[in-house]
C-alpha cells in the first residue's frame, strides 16, 4: 500500500547557550502511516519529544537529519504550489483553543480566512460551506457568527478549531493534546468526534497525548516516546495490553484508573529519583537505563537495537536474542 | 473516629465590578461537609465547580475578590473546643493556625516556594518562626526530615528552579507536613506531573498520612486519582455538593446522575465500547439556573428539578445525595 506519511531517521537537535549544550529532542525516529483512514497516537510524558515531532511533521521545525515524506514528497523540498497543496492536506489542532485564537478577533474571521485563502473558495460559497463544516462538529453558523473566543466554553471553542481545520478538506490532522484542557465529561465528546471524522470523512489523525486511556479508546496504532526515542510501537490493543518495553509497562501501571479494585496494584511502591536529575537526553546507552528495573551492563553502554516482535517494534536490549 | 473539620453552610464567591455593575459569581453555594480525622477525603468535580474555592475558604485564605457571605469552618482540637478559622484574626491565623493546625499544598509548587531562596531556607524559616528552635538545629532537623520523602540532602542546597516538578512537589508536601498539622489541604497536588511521578508523589502523601494519622483533603478533577487514593469523596457541581459517600460505594454505585455521567465518560484501557459524555456545559454562576443546578444537562430532569433545589439527604449510612430522584414525595 502507498504511504501517506513516512519519517525516516528523523533527528532534531536543540542547542542551548552560546557554547552549545545540545541534545536530541527527537532522536532517529522512523514511523509511517499507510494511506487509509487511521488514527496514529504518539504518546509520552513531558519532554519526550512528541510535540517537537508534530512540529516537524507540520514543517515548522526542520530536522537536522532524516526526511519526512508526505505522499512520497519530501515536505522540506516542496515548490510553492506544492506547499499550498500540503497546507490544505495537513491541518493542525492544538491543546489550548484560547491560545489558538486572538482574543480581540471574532472567531468567524479565522474560518473565513481559511476558507478564502487556503481552501480558495469564492465569497458567496463561503458562508454555506462554513455552516456545513460547523454542523459536522455539532455547531452551526448562527452560534458562531459575531462571537469572540471568550464567549465560547473550552469544549465549544475546541470544536471551532476542529471545524477550522476541516475547511480545507484535509487528509491528515495533527492533533496535539487536543483534549487535555477539557473536562472529562466533554473530553469524550471530542474524542468521539475524531472517530466520526475518521469513519465518515476518511481523515487520518496523528493524535498526540499523554493520556493512554483516550489513546486506547480511539487509536489504531500507538508509538510510545521517551526522551526523543520511540521505545515501542505497534497496534494499540497489543502495546497497551501486553507492553514489552519496561517503560511502557511502568507507564501503563501508573495511570490512575477509575476502578477501585485496581487500587492495591497501583499503590505498590515505586521509587522516584532522589537527586537532581538528569542527563538522560545525553546518556550513552539506553536513556531509560537509570530508571529501568531490568537494566543490565550493556544498557548503560550502548544504544539498544530496535527489534520486531510480531507487529510490535521495541527498542530494548531485553529482547535481543 | 470523630469529626475533625466541619464546613457549615458556607456561601462564598467572587464579587467584582464590571461596567459599573456589581457582579457576584456564586462559587460555593451553601456547602456543608464534615470530615473525620485520619482519613483521605476527596473533593471531585470539573473546572469551575468551586472545589478550589472551597479549599481556600477552608484554609481561611480569603483575599479579594473572594468573599465569604455566610458559614463557619471549624477545626476541632478536642471534643468540645474548636478553632473557628473564618472569624479569628488574620494575625492569629498566620501565627497559630497555618502550618501548625492546617496546611495547604497548591497545584503549582512555585506558589509556595520563593524562587530566590534555597530549599533549606524554607524549612529553617518555618521551624524558627513557629517553634522555638535556633537556626542550626532547624537545619539538622530539615536534613534528616527530607530524606524521609525520598529526597537527597543535596536538594536542600538547591534553588526551587533547579528541581524537577516531582521533586518540587515533594518539597512542598514536606513543608506542609513539617509541623504535623491535623489537616492538610491539597489542591490538585499532582495534576501538573507525569503519571509515573504522580503515582510516586501520591504514594508518599499516603504513607505520611498513615504515619501521622492526620486528615488529607484532596481536590482533584481526576476520578482515577480519587479511585486510587481517597477513602471518602464529595462530588461538586456548579458550586454545590451533589453527593458524599465512601469512595468505594460511589464508584460501585454512583447515585447522582452527574456522578454517574462523570464516571461513565472515562474510557478505560482494554475497553473500546462507545462512551458518551454530557451534552451542554456547566451553568454560568453569575446567573445560576433555578432548582437543581444540574437540571439543564440531566437526562432524568423532572418538573420539580426546574423549580426547587433538592435537599441533601442521607439515604443509607454515610451516603448522602442531593437529587429529587431519591426523595419520595
Amino acid at each position: 500500500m502507498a504511504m501517506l506519511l513516512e519519517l525516516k531517521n528523523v533527528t532534531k537537535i536543540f542547542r542551548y547557550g552560546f557554547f552549545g549544550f545540545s541534545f536530541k529532542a527527537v532522536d532517529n525516529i522512523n514511523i509511517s502511516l499507510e494511506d487509509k483512514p487511521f488514527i496514529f497516537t504518539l504518546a509520552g510524558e513531558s519532554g519526550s519529544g512528541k510535540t517537537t515531532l508534530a512540529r516537524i511533521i507540520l514543517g515548522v521545525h526542520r530536522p537536522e537529519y532524516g526526511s519526512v515524506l508526505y505522499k512520497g514528497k519530501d515536505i522540506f523540498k516542496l515548490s510553492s504550489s506544492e506547499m499550498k497543496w500540503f497546507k490544505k492536506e495537513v491541518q493542525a489542532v492544538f491543546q489550548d483553543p484560547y491560545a489558538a485564537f486572538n482574543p480581540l478577533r471574532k472567531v468567524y474571521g479565522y474560518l473565513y480566512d481559511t476558507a478564502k485563502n487556503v481552501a480558495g473558495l469564492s465569497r458567496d460559497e463561503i458562508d454555506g460551506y462554513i455552516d456545513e463544516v460547523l454542523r459536522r462538529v455539532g455547531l452551526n453558523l448562527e452560534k458562531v457568527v459575531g462571537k469572540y473566543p471568550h464567549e465560547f466554553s473550552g469544549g465549544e471553542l475546541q470544536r471551532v478549531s476542529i471545524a477550522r481545520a476541516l475547511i480545507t478538506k484535509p487528509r491528515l490532522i495533527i492533533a496535539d493534546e487536543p483534549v487535555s484542557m477539557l473536562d472529562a465529561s466533554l473530553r469524550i465528546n471530542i474524542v468521539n468526534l475524531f472517530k466520526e471524522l475518521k469513519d465518515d470523512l476518511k481523515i487520518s489523525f496523528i493524535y498526540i497525548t499523554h493520556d493512554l486511556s483516550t489513546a486506547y479508546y480511539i487509536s489504531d496504532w500507538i508509538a510510545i516516546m521517551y526522551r526523543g526515542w520511540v521505545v515501542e510501537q505497534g497496534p494499540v490493543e497489543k502495546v497497551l495490553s501486553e507492553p514489552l518495553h519496561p517503560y511502557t509497562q511502568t507507564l501503563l501501571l501508573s495511570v490512575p484508573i477509575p476502578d477501585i479494585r485496581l487500587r492495591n496494584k497501583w499503590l505498590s511502591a515505586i521509587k522516584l529519583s532522589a537527586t537532581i536529575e538528569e542527563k538522560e537526553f545525553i546518556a550513552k546507552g539506553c536513556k531509560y537505563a537509570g530508571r529501568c528495573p531490568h537494566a543490565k551492563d550493556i544498557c548503560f553502554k550502548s544504544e539498544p537495537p530496535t527489534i520486531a516482535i510480531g507487529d510490535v517494534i521495541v527498542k530494548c536490549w531485553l529482547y535481543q536474542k | 473516629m470523630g469529626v475533625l473539620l466541619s464546613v457549615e453552610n458556607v456561601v462564598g464567591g467572587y464579587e467584582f465590578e464590571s461596567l459599573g455593575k456589581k457582579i457576584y459569581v456564586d462559587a460555593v453555594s451553601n456547602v456543608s461537609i464534615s470530615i473525620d480525622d485520619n482519613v483521605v477525603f476527596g473533593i471531585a468535580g470539573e473546572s469551575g465547580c468551586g472545589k478550589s474555592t472551597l479549599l481556600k475558604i477552608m484554609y481561611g485564605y480569603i483575599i479579594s475578590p473572594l468573599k465569604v457571605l455566610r458559614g463557619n469552618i471549624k477545626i476541632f482540637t478536642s471534643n468540645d473546643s474548636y478553632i473557628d478559622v473564618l472569624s479569628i484574626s488574620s494575625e492569629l491565623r498566620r501565627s497559630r493556625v497555618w502550618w501548625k493546625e492546617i496546611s495547604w499544598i497548591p497545584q503549582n509548587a512555585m506558589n509556595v516556594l520563593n524562587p530566590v531562596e534555597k530549599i533549606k531556607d524554607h524549612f529553617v524559616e518555618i521551624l524558627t518562626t513557629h517553634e522555638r528552635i535556633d537556626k542550626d538545629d532547624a537545619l539538622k532537623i530539615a536534613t534528616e526530615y527530607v530524606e524521609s520523602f525520598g529526597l537527597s540532602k543535596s536538594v536542600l542546597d538547591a534553588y526551587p528552579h533547579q528541581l524537577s516538578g516531582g521533586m518540587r512537589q515533594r518539597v512542598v508536601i514536606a513543608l506542609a507536613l513539617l509541623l504535623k498539622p491535623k489537616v492538610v489541604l491539597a489542591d490538585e497536588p499532582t495534576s501538573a506531573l507525569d503519571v509515573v511521578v504522580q503515582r510516586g508523589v501520591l504514594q508518599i502523601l499516603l504513607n505520611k498520612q498513615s504515619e501521622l494519622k492526620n486528615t488529607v483533603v484532596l481536590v482533584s478533577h481526576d476520578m482515577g486519582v480519587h479511585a486510587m487514593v481517597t477513602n471518602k469523596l464529595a462530588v461538586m457541581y456548579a458550586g454545590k455538593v451533589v453527593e458524599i459517600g465512601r469512595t468505594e460505594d460511589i464508584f460501585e454505585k454512583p447515585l447522582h446522575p452527574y456522578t454517574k455521567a462523570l464516571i461513565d465518560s472515562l474510557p478505560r484501557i482494554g475497553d473500546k465500547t462507545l462512551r458518551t459524555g454530557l451534552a451542554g456545559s456547566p451553568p454560568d454562576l453569575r446567573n445560576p439556573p433555578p432548582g437543581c443546578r444540574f437540571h439543564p444537562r440531566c437526562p432524568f430532569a423532572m418538573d420539580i428539578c426546574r423549580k426547587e433545589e433538592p435537599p441533601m439527604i442521607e439515604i443509607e449510612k454515610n451516603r448522602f445525595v442531593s437529587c429529587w430522584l431519591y426523595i419520595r414525595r
Side-chain angles (χ1 to χ4, degrees), chain B residues 219-236:
Chain B
V219 162
S220 176
H221 69 282
D222 187 340
M223 290 303 275
V225 165
H226 287 295
M228 297 294 104
V229 170
T230 60
N231 312 122
K232 283 192 86 178
L233 189 58
V235 181
M236 288 187 73

Side-chain angles (χ1 to χ4, degrees), chain A residues 46 183 192 216 219 263 266, chain B residues 47 194 199 230 272 275:
Chain A
S46 43
D183 282 321
N192 283 338
Y216 184 89
S219 47
R263 181 182 279 205
W266 193 85
Chain B
S47 40
D194 289 323
R199 181 163 159 236
T230 60
K272 282 207 165 190
R275 292 188 178 270

